[in-house]
């Protein structure tokens, strides 16, 4: 008969995350259901055996192995073995004998799923996919350009260039609305009209972010390379971060590492740059 407990209950039991009522009910069920007891023993031994081997999702791994072993009939046979031993062994020794005996009998069956353990360990010790690391770390940058534009528009005298600034403001507004291609067009228009303007690096920065968002990595790289070394550009470090992500998106891991090494010593980027480096 199928018991009412599942793998989540087993995990909560092993992790001592049950309250008193849940624990009492679970232990009562284990005492009455030898198959459930066998499964608990199995999960406990597996988790102990692989803890520390690699940072992995234990629940998923154990669940997969559990299903395979159950399909081979391992747990049913283990339960029968336990019942036979109850007639010959003192209760205080049942657990240790069961552990040795069930694992001894289960080794042959476990051989068919040993490859799953090996594959899981291999999977979680391999470097992460660069594109996945890009996706995990990329986020569009917040708007700080509108403030700069407002400051410029508040200036009086020659050179304010209100028409070009209106184009730039339209670019950042469409950027914030999520219309990234339109934003790219507006940023380009501003850069063409005011190539030497002090706000042009901002236009290039936000255009690069929009290009990344729309999957245009090479174009984003070109824009970022023109501004990452501008010492007076307030978003220089942010530009380097996005350039590192751009390289990851294009599987240029060596180039990404070089930039991340630099950022790992920059205040505000130490932790995330180091974390990303350790994933490569």
């Amino acid at each position: 008969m199928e018991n009412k407990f599942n793998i989540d209950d087993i995990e909560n039991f092993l992790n001592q995350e049950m309250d008193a009522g849940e624990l009492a009910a679970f232990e009562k069920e284990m005492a009455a259901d030898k198959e459930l007891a066998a499964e608990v023993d199995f999960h406990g031994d597996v988790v102990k055996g692989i803890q520390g081997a690699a940072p992995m999702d234990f629940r998923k791994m154990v669940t997969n192995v559990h299903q395979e072993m159950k399909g081979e009939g391992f747990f049913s046979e283990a339960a029968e073995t336990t019942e036979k031993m109850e007639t010959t062994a003192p209760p205080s020794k049942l657990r240790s004998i069961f552990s040795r005996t069930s694992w001894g009998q289960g080794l042959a069956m476990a051989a068919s799923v040993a490859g799953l353990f090996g594959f899981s360990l291999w999977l979680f010790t391999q470097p992460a996919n660069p594109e996945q690391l890009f996706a995990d770390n990329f986020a569009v940058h917040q708007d700080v350009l509108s403030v700069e534009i407002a400051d410029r528009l508040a200036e009086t005298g020659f050179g304010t260039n209100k028409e070009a600034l209106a184009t730039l403001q339209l670019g950042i507004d469409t950027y914030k609305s999520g219309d990234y291609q339109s934003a790219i067009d507006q940023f380009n228009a501003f850069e063409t009209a005011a190539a030497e303007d002090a706000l042009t690096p901002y236009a290039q920065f936000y255009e690069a972010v929009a290009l990344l968002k729309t999957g245009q990595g090479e174009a984003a790289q070109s824009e970022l390379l023109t501004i990452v070394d501008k010492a007076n550009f307030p978003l220089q470090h942010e530009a380097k971060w996005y350039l590192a992500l751009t390289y990851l998106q294009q599987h240029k891991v060596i180039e990404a590492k070089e930039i991340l090494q630099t950022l790992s010593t920059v205040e505000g980027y130490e932790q995330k740059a180091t974390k990303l480096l350790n994933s490569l």
Side-chain angles (χ1 to χ4, degrees):
M1 180 178 65
E2 184 176 356
N3 64 66
K4 62 182 180 180
F5 293 99
N6 56 36
I7 189 172
D8 292 320
D9 298 311
I10 293 175
E11 181 178 338
N12 291 337
F13 173 76
L14 293 173
N15 292 335
Q16 299 181 347
E17 295 176 352
M18 287 183 166
D19 60 33
E22 292 172 334
L23 180 61
F26 191 80
E27 289 180 338
K28 181 179 180 180
E29 186 73 13
M30 277 200 301
D33 188 340
K34 302 307 176 184
E35 184 173 348
L36 174 61
E39 292 193 44
V40 173
D41 273 341
F42 172 72
H43 282 272
D45 288 334
V46 169
V47 172
K48 288 178 183 177
I50 61 179
Q51 276 179 337
M56 62 181 67
D57 185 344
F58 289 113
R59 178 184 296 185
K60 181 177 180 181
M61 181 177 178
V62 171
T63 300
N64 289 339
V65 177
H66 161 266
Q67 294 299 328
E68 187 71 19
M69 295 284 282
K70 192 169 184 178
E72 295 287 343
F74 168 69
F75 294 120
S76 295
E77 294 182 17
E80 292 174 4
T81 301
T82 307
E83 291 175 354
K84 292 179 181 178
M85 288 189 297
E86 285 181 344
T87 63
T88 58
S92 61
K93 297 182 179 180
L94 282 178
R95 185 176 182 83
S96 61
I97 294 175
F98 169 77
S99 179
R100 294 195 302 270
T101 306
S102 62
W103 272 102
Q105 292 181 337
L107 284 177
M109 298 173 190
S112 63
V113 294
L116 179 59
F117 278 109
F119 173 75
S120 298
L121 291 173
W122 173 85
L123 177 64
F124 285 100
T125 55
Q126 296 306 299
N129 182 286
E131 288 186 33
Q132 185 60 51
L133 288 175
F134 165 81
D136 292 343
N137 288 275
F138 175 79
V140 294
H141 198 274
Q142 65 184 21
D143 170 29
V144 299
L145 180 53
S146 294
V147 174
E148 299 293 334
I149 296 172
D151 287 345
R152 277 285 299 279
L153 290 173
E155 295 176 358
T156 58
F158 180 78
T160 300
N161 200 355
K162 291 184 177 181
E163 184 176 345
L165 291 176
T167 299
L168 185 56
Q169 184 64 60
L170 180 59
I172 197 64
D173 288 342
T174 52
Y175 172 92
K176 290 190 293 183
S177 73
D179 187 357
Y180 297 105
Q181 189 55 57
S182 293
I184 291 169
D185 294 339
Q186 296 300 324
F187 291 138
N188 266 321
F190 174 80
E191 292 164 33
T192 300
E196 302 301 322
D197 193 283
L199 295 183
T200 296
Y202 284 95
Q204 293 172 310
F205 173 80
Y206 282 103
E207 180 184 353
V209 176
L211 286 166
L212 277 174
K213 182 66 176 179
T214 55
Q216 303 176 68
E218 291 187 7
Q221 175 184 318
S222 178
E223 292 293 336
L224 291 167
L225 284 172
T226 64
I227 59 175
V228 290
D229 292 324
K230 290 184 179 294
N232 295 325
F233 180 44
L235 300 181
Q236 182 191 49
H237 298 315
E238 286 83 349
K240 288 182 178 180
W241 172 254
Y242 281 107
L243 182 58
L245 295 183
T246 302
Y247 285 140
L248 284 179
Q249 188 187 47
Q250 300 175 71
H251 289 249
K252 297 178 180 179
V253 177
I254 294 176
E255 291 87 342
K257 283 184 175 181
E258 290 177 355
I259 296 176
L260 291 170
Q261 288 283 6
T262 301
L263 289 176
S264 66
T265 63
V266 174
E267 184 179 359
Y269 281 88
E270 305 101 318
Q271 291 187 358
K272 65 179 183 178
T274 300
K275 180 180 179 181
L276 189 49
L277 269 173
N278 291 337
S279 300
L280 294 172

